[in-house]
């Protein structure tokens, strides 16, 4: 921790990791107030073959292109940077303060009205994503955040996207 990426982003803590990388919370030290951001680092667990590394890099680049293409939709994190440094690939994204829907559901069931509002909100962002000829392919409560303040649902983790 404390490492700087691109002489700009100070990595503060590990938020999670999976089969294709790690996710860090960081600060953008070149913007006023040093706002929070999320950094995804590509680091596949199984790098024993060139094919695996090439596939991971292709999926990572696809995620960057997709996030950039989806633009400024308020229910999708903005792509702030796509960086290759010291042979590693990184995506820097907008930090969304809020709670994962998985954590929310762990506290108890939703009311019927709450579930309807949740689905309507989620379908709004999915309609936009599909209108851009993209399929998310990993929609689950852990990849949906409820934005702090507005309560709006935000779809995250486009690592498994597929162009239609």
């Amino acid at each position: 921790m404390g490492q700087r990426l691109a002489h700009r982003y100070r990595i503060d803590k590990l938020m999670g990791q999976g089969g294709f990388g790690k996710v860090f919370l960081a600060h953008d030290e070149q913007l006023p107030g040093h706002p929070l951001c999320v950094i995804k680092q590509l680091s596949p667990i199984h790098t024993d073959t060139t094919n695996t590394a090439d596939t991971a890099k292709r999926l990572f680049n696809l995620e960057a292109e997709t996030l950039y293409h989806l633009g400024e939709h308020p229910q999708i994190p903005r792509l702030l940077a796509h960086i290759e440094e010291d042979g590693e690939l990184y995506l820097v994204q907008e930090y969304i303060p809020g709670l994962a829907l998985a954590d929310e559901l762990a506290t108890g069931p939703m009311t019927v009205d709450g579930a309807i509002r949740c689905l309507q909100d989620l379908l709004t962002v999915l309609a936009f994503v599909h209108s851009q000829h993209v399929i998310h392919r990993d929609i689950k409560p852990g990849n949906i955040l409820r934005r702090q303040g507005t309560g709006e649902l935000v779809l995250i983790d486009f690592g498994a996207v597929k162009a239609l």
Side-chain angles (χ1 to χ4, degrees), residues 95-101 103-104 144-149 152:
Y95 171 72
I96 307 294
L99 186 65
L101 193 57
D103 296 332
E104 185 178 310
I144 301 167
L145 298 178
R146 187 173 301 279
R147 188 185 297 269
Q148 185 179 337
E152 181 176 55

Side-chain angles (χ1 to χ4, degrees), residues 48-89:
D48 53 343
T49 68
T50 303
N51 189 34
T52 301
D54 290 345
T55 299
K57 188 172 181 176
R58 182 181 55 78
L59 290 172
F60 198 79
N61 286 328
L62 178 60
E63 182 173 3
E65 290 173 23
T66 300
L67 286 171
Y68 183 75
H69 178 71
L70 293 176
E72 297 293 322
H73 193 282
Q75 290 176 274
I76 298 170
R78 286 178 296 136
L79 177 66
L80 303 175
H82 180 217
I83 300 165
E84 184 168 356
E85 186 171 284
D86 298 327
E88 300 281 346
L89 294 171

Side-chain angles (χ1 to χ4, degrees), residues 11-29:
I11 297 174
D12 293 327
K13 75 175 190 174
L14 178 67
M15 295 175 69
Q17 64 185 72
F20 279 100
K22 297 177 182 177
V23 180
F24 299 95
L25 185 63
H27 282 88
D28 184 340
E29 295 193 330

